[in-house]
Short mmCIF file of all heavy atoms in Angstrom, two decimals:
data_model
loop_
_atom_site.label_atom_id
_atom_site.label_comp_id
_atom_site.label_asym_id
_atom_site.label_seq_id
_atom_site.Cartn_x
_atom_site.Cartn_y
_atom_site.Cartn_z
N GLN H 737 -88.00 -31.21 -51.65
CA GLN H 737 -87.05 -30.32 -50.97
C GLN H 737 -86.13 -29.68 -52.00
O GLN H 737 -85.69 -30.33 -52.95
CB GLN H 737 -86.23 -31.11 -49.96
CG GLN H 737 -85.34 -30.25 -49.08
CD GLN H 737 -84.66 -31.05 -48.00
OE1 GLN H 737 -84.90 -32.26 -47.86
NE2 GLN H 737 -83.82 -30.42 -47.22
N VAL H 738 -85.85 -28.40 -51.81
CA VAL H 738 -84.99 -27.65 -52.71
C VAL H 738 -83.62 -27.49 -52.06
O VAL H 738 -83.51 -27.20 -50.88
CB VAL H 738 -85.58 -26.27 -53.02
CG1 VAL H 738 -84.60 -25.45 -53.86
CG2 VAL H 738 -86.91 -26.41 -53.75
N ARG H 739 -82.58 -27.71 -52.84
CA ARG H 739 -81.22 -27.51 -52.36
C ARG H 739 -80.59 -26.35 -53.12
O ARG H 739 -80.63 -26.33 -54.37
CB ARG H 739 -80.39 -28.77 -52.56
CG ARG H 739 -78.98 -28.67 -52.00
CD ARG H 739 -78.21 -29.95 -52.26
NE ARG H 739 -76.88 -29.90 -51.64
CZ ARG H 739 -75.81 -30.51 -52.12
NH1 ARG H 739 -75.90 -31.22 -53.25
NH2 ARG H 739 -74.65 -30.43 -51.50
N LEU H 740 -80.02 -25.41 -52.37
CA LEU H 740 -79.34 -24.26 -52.97
C LEU H 740 -77.87 -24.31 -52.54
O LEU H 740 -77.59 -24.26 -51.35
CB LEU H 740 -79.98 -22.95 -52.51
CG LEU H 740 -81.46 -22.77 -52.86
CD1 LEU H 740 -82.00 -21.47 -52.27
CD2 LEU H 740 -81.66 -22.78 -54.37
N VAL H 741 -76.98 -24.39 -53.51
CA VAL H 741 -75.55 -24.48 -53.22
C VAL H 741 -74.88 -23.19 -53.68
O VAL H 741 -74.86 -22.90 -54.88
CB VAL H 741 -74.92 -25.69 -53.92
CG1 VAL H 741 -73.42 -25.74 -53.63
CG2 VAL H 741 -75.60 -26.98 -53.46
N GLU H 742 -74.34 -22.46 -52.72
CA GLU H 742 -73.71 -21.16 -52.99
C GLU H 742 -72.21 -21.31 -53.06
O GLU H 742 -71.62 -22.17 -52.39
CB GLU H 742 -74.08 -20.17 -51.88
CG GLU H 742 -75.55 -19.92 -51.74
CD GLU H 742 -75.98 -19.73 -50.30
OE1 GLU H 742 -75.35 -20.35 -49.42
OE2 GLU H 742 -76.93 -18.99 -50.04
N SER H 743 -71.57 -20.43 -53.83
CA SER H 743 -70.12 -20.41 -53.90
C SER H 743 -69.67 -19.01 -54.30
O SER H 743 -70.47 -18.23 -54.81
CB SER H 743 -69.59 -21.44 -54.90
OG SER H 743 -70.08 -21.18 -56.19
N GLY H 744 -68.39 -18.73 -54.07
CA GLY H 744 -67.81 -17.48 -54.55
C GLY H 744 -67.51 -16.44 -53.50
O GLY H 744 -66.94 -15.39 -53.82
N GLY H 745 -67.90 -16.67 -52.26
CA GLY H 745 -67.60 -15.69 -51.22
C GLY H 745 -66.12 -15.68 -50.87
O GLY H 745 -65.35 -16.50 -51.36
N GLY H 746 -65.73 -14.73 -50.03
CA GLY H 746 -64.34 -14.67 -49.60
C GLY H 746 -63.96 -13.31 -49.10
O GLY H 746 -64.82 -12.46 -48.82
N LEU H 747 -62.65 -13.11 -48.99
CA LEU H 747 -62.09 -11.85 -48.51
C LEU H 747 -61.56 -11.06 -49.71
O LEU H 747 -60.83 -11.61 -50.55
CB LEU H 747 -60.96 -12.13 -47.54
CG LEU H 747 -60.13 -10.94 -47.07
CD1 LEU H 747 -60.98 -9.96 -46.26
CD2 LEU H 747 -58.93 -11.43 -46.24
N VAL H 748 -61.92 -9.79 -49.77
CA VAL H 748 -61.49 -8.94 -50.87
C VAL H 748 -61.21 -7.55 -50.33
O VAL H 748 -61.82 -7.12 -49.34
CB VAL H 748 -62.56 -8.91 -51.98
CG1 VAL H 748 -63.84 -8.28 -51.49
CG2 VAL H 748 -62.05 -8.23 -53.23
N GLN H 749 -60.28 -6.86 -50.97
CA GLN H 749 -59.97 -5.49 -50.57
C GLN H 749 -61.02 -4.52 -51.08
O GLN H 749 -61.69 -4.80 -52.08
CB GLN H 749 -58.60 -5.10 -51.10
CG GLN H 749 -57.44 -5.85 -50.47
CD GLN H 749 -56.09 -5.32 -50.91
OE1 GLN H 749 -55.98 -4.60 -51.91
NE2 GLN H 749 -55.05 -5.66 -50.17
N PRO H 750 -61.19 -3.39 -50.42
CA PRO H 750 -62.12 -2.37 -50.93
C PRO H 750 -61.78 -2.01 -52.38
O PRO H 750 -60.61 -1.87 -52.74
CB PRO H 750 -61.88 -1.19 -49.99
CG PRO H 750 -61.43 -1.82 -48.71
CD PRO H 750 -60.58 -2.99 -49.13
N GLY H 751 -62.84 -1.90 -53.17
CA GLY H 751 -62.67 -1.64 -54.59
C GLY H 751 -62.57 -2.88 -55.44
O GLY H 751 -62.61 -2.79 -56.67
N GLY H 752 -62.45 -4.02 -54.81
CA GLY H 752 -62.32 -5.28 -55.53
C GLY H 752 -63.65 -5.84 -55.97
O GLY H 752 -64.71 -5.22 -55.80
N SER H 753 -63.58 -7.03 -56.56
CA SER H 753 -64.77 -7.69 -57.12
C SER H 753 -64.86 -9.14 -56.65
O SER H 753 -63.84 -9.78 -56.38
CB SER H 753 -64.72 -7.66 -58.65
OG SER H 753 -64.72 -6.35 -59.14
N LEU H 754 -66.07 -9.61 -56.59
CA LEU H 754 -66.35 -11.02 -56.33
C LEU H 754 -67.57 -11.41 -57.16
O LEU H 754 -68.42 -10.57 -57.48
CB LEU H 754 -66.66 -11.29 -54.86
CG LEU H 754 -65.51 -11.33 -53.86
CD1 LEU H 754 -66.07 -11.47 -52.44
CD2 LEU H 754 -64.55 -12.47 -54.16
N ARG H 755 -67.65 -12.70 -57.47
CA ARG H 755 -68.82 -13.23 -58.16
C ARG H 755 -69.38 -14.39 -57.36
O ARG H 755 -68.70 -15.39 -57.15
CB ARG H 755 -68.46 -13.68 -59.57
CG ARG H 755 -69.68 -14.06 -60.43
CD ARG H 755 -69.25 -14.72 -61.70
NE ARG H 755 -70.35 -14.83 -62.67
CZ ARG H 755 -70.48 -15.84 -63.53
NH1 ARG H 755 -69.59 -16.81 -63.53
NH2 ARG H 755 -71.48 -15.85 -64.39
N LEU H 756 -70.64 -14.25 -56.95
CA LEU H 756 -71.33 -15.32 -56.23
C LEU H 756 -72.16 -16.14 -57.21
O LEU H 756 -72.71 -15.61 -58.17
CB LEU H 756 -72.24 -14.75 -55.15
CG LEU H 756 -71.60 -13.81 -54.12
CD1 LEU H 756 -72.66 -13.40 -53.08
CD2 LEU H 756 -70.42 -14.46 -53.44
N SER H 757 -72.23 -17.44 -56.93
CA SER H 757 -73.06 -18.34 -57.73
C SER H 757 -73.96 -19.13 -56.79
O SER H 757 -73.58 -19.43 -55.66
CB SER H 757 -72.20 -19.31 -58.54
OG SER H 757 -71.35 -18.63 -59.43
N CYS H 758 -75.12 -19.49 -57.29
CA CYS H 758 -76.06 -20.32 -56.52
C CYS H 758 -76.77 -21.25 -57.49
O CYS H 758 -77.49 -20.80 -58.38
CB CYS H 758 -77.06 -19.45 -55.79
SG CYS H 758 -78.39 -20.38 -54.98
N ALA H 759 -76.57 -22.54 -57.28
CA ALA H 759 -77.21 -23.55 -58.12
C ALA H 759 -78.33 -24.22 -57.35
O ALA H 759 -78.13 -24.69 -56.21
CB ALA H 759 -76.19 -24.58 -58.57
N ALA H 760 -79.51 -24.29 -57.95
CA ALA H 760 -80.68 -24.88 -57.32
C ALA H 760 -80.96 -26.27 -57.90
O ALA H 760 -80.82 -26.50 -59.10
CB ALA H 760 -81.89 -23.99 -57.53
N SER H 761 -81.37 -27.17 -57.02
CA SER H 761 -81.75 -28.52 -57.46
C SER H 761 -82.83 -29.05 -56.53
O SER H 761 -83.12 -28.46 -55.49
CB SER H 761 -80.54 -29.45 -57.46
OG SER H 761 -80.00 -29.57 -56.17
N GLY H 762 -83.43 -30.16 -56.93
CA GLY H 762 -84.45 -30.78 -56.09
C GLY H 762 -85.86 -30.50 -56.60
O GLY H 762 -86.11 -30.48 -57.79
N SER H 763 -86.77 -30.24 -55.67
CA SER H 763 -88.20 -30.09 -55.99
C SER H 763 -88.49 -28.69 -56.53
O SER H 763 -89.08 -27.84 -55.86
CB SER H 763 -89.03 -30.36 -54.74
OG SER H 763 -88.77 -31.65 -54.24
N ILE H 764 -88.06 -28.50 -57.77
CA ILE H 764 -88.27 -27.21 -58.42
C ILE H 764 -89.34 -27.40 -59.49
O ILE H 764 -89.15 -28.14 -60.44
CB ILE H 764 -86.97 -26.69 -59.05
CG1 ILE H 764 -85.91 -26.50 -57.97
CG2 ILE H 764 -87.23 -25.37 -59.78
CD1 ILE H 764 -84.54 -26.20 -58.52
N PHE H 765 -90.45 -26.72 -59.33
CA PHE H 765 -91.57 -26.88 -60.24
C PHE H 765 -91.78 -25.64 -61.10
O PHE H 765 -91.94 -25.72 -62.30
CB PHE H 765 -92.83 -27.23 -59.46
CG PHE H 765 -92.69 -28.46 -58.62
CD1 PHE H 765 -92.49 -28.37 -57.25
CD2 PHE H 765 -92.71 -29.72 -59.19
CE1 PHE H 765 -92.34 -29.51 -56.47
CE2 PHE H 765 -92.57 -30.86 -58.44
CZ PHE H 765 -92.38 -30.76 -57.07
N SER H 766 -91.78 -24.49 -60.45
CA SER H 766 -92.03 -23.26 -61.18
C SER H 766 -91.37 -22.12 -60.42
O SER H 766 -91.91 -21.64 -59.43
CB SER H 766 -93.54 -23.01 -61.30
OG SER H 766 -93.79 -21.79 -61.95
N ILE H 767 -90.21 -21.69 -60.90
CA ILE H 767 -89.48 -20.63 -60.23
C ILE H 767 -90.09 -19.28 -60.59
O ILE H 767 -90.22 -18.95 -61.77
CB ILE H 767 -87.99 -20.65 -60.60
CG1 ILE H 767 -87.36 -21.97 -60.15
CG2 ILE H 767 -87.27 -19.47 -59.96
CD1 ILE H 767 -85.91 -22.12 -60.56
N TYR H 768 -90.45 -18.53 -59.57
CA TYR H 768 -90.93 -17.18 -59.81
C TYR H 768 -89.77 -16.19 -59.85
O TYR H 768 -89.71 -15.32 -60.71
CB TYR H 768 -91.93 -16.78 -58.72
CG TYR H 768 -92.29 -15.32 -58.75
CD1 TYR H 768 -93.09 -14.80 -59.76
CD2 TYR H 768 -91.80 -14.44 -57.79
CE1 TYR H 768 -93.41 -13.46 -59.81
CE2 TYR H 768 -92.12 -13.11 -57.82
CZ TYR H 768 -92.93 -12.62 -58.82
OH TYR H 768 -93.23 -11.28 -58.87
N ALA H 769 -88.85 -16.36 -58.92
CA ALA H 769 -87.70 -15.46 -58.87
C ALA H 769 -86.57 -16.12 -58.09
O ALA H 769 -86.79 -17.01 -57.26
CB ALA H 769 -88.08 -14.14 -58.22
N MET H 770 -85.37 -15.66 -58.36
CA MET H 770 -84.19 -16.04 -57.57
C MET H 770 -83.45 -14.77 -57.21
O MET H 770 -83.51 -13.77 -57.94
CB MET H 770 -83.28 -16.99 -58.34
CG MET H 770 -83.88 -18.34 -58.63
SD MET H 770 -82.72 -19.49 -59.42
CE MET H 770 -81.63 -19.87 -58.04
N GLY H 771 -82.76 -14.82 -56.09
CA GLY H 771 -82.06 -13.61 -55.69
C GLY H 771 -81.09 -13.81 -54.56
O GLY H 771 -80.81 -14.94 -54.16
N TRP H 772 -80.58 -12.69 -54.09
CA TRP H 772 -79.60 -12.67 -53.02
C TRP H 772 -80.04 -11.70 -51.93
O TRP H 772 -80.49 -10.58 -52.23
CB TRP H 772 -78.23 -12.25 -53.56
CG TRP H 772 -77.64 -13.22 -54.51
CD1 TRP H 772 -77.80 -13.23 -55.87
CD2 TRP H 772 -76.83 -14.36 -54.19
NE1 TRP H 772 -77.12 -14.31 -56.40
CE2 TRP H 772 -76.52 -15.00 -55.39
CE3 TRP H 772 -76.32 -14.87 -53.00
CZ2 TRP H 772 -75.72 -16.15 -55.44
CZ3 TRP H 772 -75.54 -16.01 -53.06
CH2 TRP H 772 -75.24 -16.63 -54.26
N TYR H 773 -79.90 -12.15 -50.70
CA TYR H 773 -80.09 -11.31 -49.52
C TYR H 773 -78.78 -11.33 -48.75
O TYR H 773 -77.93 -12.19 -48.97
CB TYR H 773 -81.22 -11.86 -48.64
CG TYR H 773 -82.60 -11.72 -49.24
CD1 TYR H 773 -83.00 -12.49 -50.33
CD2 TYR H 773 -83.53 -10.84 -48.69
CE1 TYR H 773 -84.28 -12.37 -50.87
CE2 TYR H 773 -84.81 -10.71 -49.22
CZ TYR H 773 -85.18 -11.48 -50.30
OH TYR H 773 -86.44 -11.36 -50.84
N ARG H 774 -78.64 -10.39 -47.84
CA ARG H 774 -77.44 -10.39 -47.00
C ARG H 774 -77.80 -9.97 -45.59
O ARG H 774 -78.78 -9.28 -45.36
CB ARG H 774 -76.36 -9.47 -47.57
CG ARG H 774 -76.69 -7.98 -47.53
CD ARG H 774 -75.62 -7.18 -48.25
NE ARG H 774 -75.90 -5.75 -48.23
CZ ARG H 774 -75.20 -4.84 -48.90
NH1 ARG H 774 -74.16 -5.21 -49.65
NH2 ARG H 774 -75.52 -3.56 -48.83
N GLN H 775 -76.95 -10.44 -44.67
CA GLN H 775 -77.16 -10.10 -43.26
C GLN H 775 -75.81 -9.81 -42.63
O GLN H 775 -74.94 -10.69 -42.58
CB GLN H 775 -77.87 -11.22 -42.53
CG GLN H 775 -78.26 -10.88 -41.11
CD GLN H 775 -79.23 -11.89 -40.52
OE1 GLN H 775 -79.36 -13.01 -40.98
NE2 GLN H 775 -79.93 -11.48 -39.46
N ALA H 776 -75.65 -8.59 -42.15
CA ALA H 776 -74.43 -8.19 -41.43
C ALA H 776 -74.66 -8.42 -39.94
O ALA H 776 -75.81 -8.46 -39.48
CB ALA H 776 -74.12 -6.73 -41.72
N PRO H 777 -73.61 -8.55 -39.18
CA PRO H 777 -73.76 -8.78 -37.74
C PRO H 777 -74.60 -7.70 -37.07
O PRO H 777 -74.39 -6.51 -37.28
CB PRO H 777 -72.31 -8.74 -37.23
CG PRO H 777 -71.49 -9.14 -38.40
CD PRO H 777 -72.19 -8.58 -39.60
N GLY H 778 -75.59 -8.14 -36.31
CA GLY H 778 -76.44 -7.21 -35.58
C GLY H 778 -77.48 -6.52 -36.42
O GLY H 778 -78.19 -5.64 -35.91
N GLN H 779 -77.60 -6.91 -37.68
CA GLN H 779 -78.57 -6.27 -38.56
C GLN H 779 -79.54 -7.30 -39.12
O GLN H 779 -79.30 -8.50 -39.09
CB GLN H 779 -77.85 -5.54 -39.70
CG GLN H 779 -76.94 -4.41 -39.24
CD GLN H 779 -76.38 -3.61 -40.38
OE1 GLN H 779 -76.91 -3.62 -41.50
NE2 GLN H 779 -75.31 -2.88 -40.12
N GLN H 780 -80.66 -6.79 -39.62
CA GLN H 780 -81.65 -7.66 -40.23
C GLN H 780 -81.21 -8.08 -41.64
O GLN H 780 -80.45 -7.37 -42.30
CB GLN H 780 -83.01 -6.95 -40.31
CG GLN H 780 -83.66 -6.72 -38.96
CD GLN H 780 -85.07 -6.15 -39.11
OE1 GLN H 780 -85.39 -5.51 -40.09
NE2 GLN H 780 -85.90 -6.41 -38.11
N ARG H 781 -81.72 -9.20 -42.07
CA ARG H 781 -81.46 -9.66 -43.43
C ARG H 781 -82.15 -8.70 -44.40
O ARG H 781 -83.31 -8.31 -44.19
CB ARG H 781 -81.98 -11.08 -43.63
CG ARG H 781 -81.52 -11.73 -44.91
CD ARG H 781 -81.92 -13.20 -44.96
NE ARG H 781 -81.27 -13.98 -43.91
CZ ARG H 781 -81.35 -15.31 -43.82
NH1 ARG H 781 -82.03 -16.00 -44.73
NH2 ARG H 781 -80.76 -15.95 -42.84
N GLU H 782 -81.45 -8.34 -45.46
CA GLU H 782 -81.99 -7.39 -46.42
C GLU H 782 -81.81 -7.89 -47.84
O GLU H 782 -80.87 -8.63 -48.14
CB GLU H 782 -81.29 -6.02 -46.28
CG GLU H 782 -79.81 -6.04 -46.60
CD GLU H 782 -79.18 -4.66 -46.58
OE1 GLU H 782 -79.89 -3.67 -46.33
OE2 GLU H 782 -77.96 -4.56 -46.83
N LEU H 783 -82.71 -7.46 -48.70
CA LEU H 783 -82.62 -7.81 -50.10
C LEU H 783 -81.44 -7.09 -50.74
O LEU H 783 -81.24 -5.89 -50.54
CB LEU H 783 -83.90 -7.42 -50.83
CG LEU H 783 -83.87 -7.56 -52.35
CD1 LEU H 783 -83.84 -9.03 -52.74
CD2 LEU H 783 -85.08 -6.87 -52.97
N VAL H 784 -80.66 -7.83 -51.52
CA VAL H 784 -79.57 -7.25 -52.30
C VAL H 784 -80.02 -7.10 -53.75
O VAL H 784 -79.96 -6.01 -54.33
CB VAL H 784 -78.30 -8.10 -52.23
CG1 VAL H 784 -77.21 -7.51 -53.12
CG2 VAL H 784 -77.82 -8.23 -50.80
#
């Protein structure tokens, strides 16, 4: 089993910055890619 622990989200004003982090652990054998997706209310999840 793979565990992904995310951090760094929050509230920011327009024009501001945030940094997200994601640490993976567990049954990791060969990573092909890592990334971020997002989902807004009422919308489909999309690749970021």
Side-chain angles (χ1 to χ4, degrees):
Q737 187 174 357
V738 174
R739 184 181 184 211
L740 300 176
V741 179
E742 300 143 328
S743 60
L747 172 64
V748 64
Q749 292 187 342
S753 298
L754 283 175
R755 188 190 193 213
L756 305 183
S757 300
C758 173
S761 61
S763 302
I764 300 171
F765 303 102
S766 177
I767 298 176
Y768 170 72
M770 294 185 72
W772 294 91
Y773 290 70
R774 68 186 180 187
Q775 187 167 19
Q779 298 187 19
Q780 291 187 334
R781 191 172 297 187
E782 63 175 0
L783 172 69
V784 177

